[in-house]
Amino acid sequence: MRGSFGTPAAEIEERILVVVHAPDPISREGTISQLRQHPAVDVVDEAEAGSGGVAVLLTETLGESVLSWLRRTVRSEGLRAVLVVSEIREAELLDVIECGVGAIVWRHEATGHRLLQAVRAAYRGDGDLPSDLLGRLISQVGSLRPGANGGPGVPPSGLTPREVDVVRLVAGGMSTGEIAGKLSYSERTVKNILQGMTTRLNLRNRAHAVAFALREGYIS
């Protein structure tokens, strides 16, 4: 079971430009072959992807070189990142989220269908983490010292009550539609709340928003 921070699997009308990076040609070609089975995906060279495309990175483990690549890909090149990895240590998990990675897939679960789900989630700006990683993220960030500036007023670095309500449900794995029903909002309102929060606080995606809210003590 996965922890998902987004809308249900609605079909995406436009084609998604995807770049694949892998440590060896066999892994790369295998991943490309799986993704090309889906009409929603165009696998392209990095120069063709442009801002808004999706970069899929396969790796066994993480290191500073991988984290640097993720930061550059997301922050400088404007791509959305999907990380397909065999192992993530506790100390690396928050670093990965703060690099801007919103979709993570275990390599042993990386079927064509699973990769497509992650690519679509990343493309929409949603989060898509394995459920065990979501639990580890909540435990890890929740153990940090809270630093929330909450209260009736909303300081520039804080969250509004509506944002807290929404991000708490995001952390619980609810989709946009489920959050809208729970709070009696429209789906557009939920999306606008999340977009306003991530833009104001310079957060990279919904997973990063959850990490921020946990670390600052808004949710536990």
Side-chain angles (χ1 to χ4, degrees), residues 136-177:
R136 283 166 55 186
L137 177 65
I138 291 172
S139 297
Q140 181 180 345
V141 181
S143 68
L144 300 178
R145 182 178 178 180
N149 297 312
V154 184
S157 61
L159 300 183
T160 68
R162 290 208 311 175
E163 288 170 343
V164 173
D165 288 342
V166 169
V167 79
R168 181 180 290 118
L169 297 177
V170 170
M174 285 192 176
S175 70
T176 302

Side-chain angles (χ1 to χ4, degrees), residues 176-197:
T176 302
E178 290 168 337
I179 293 170
K182 179 77 171 180
L183 298 178
S184 299
Y185 294 158
S186 69
E187 289 192 38
R188 180 175 295 275
T189 296
V190 173
K191 291 177 182 178
N192 287 343
I193 290 170
L194 287 166
Q195 180 63 38
M197 173 185 171

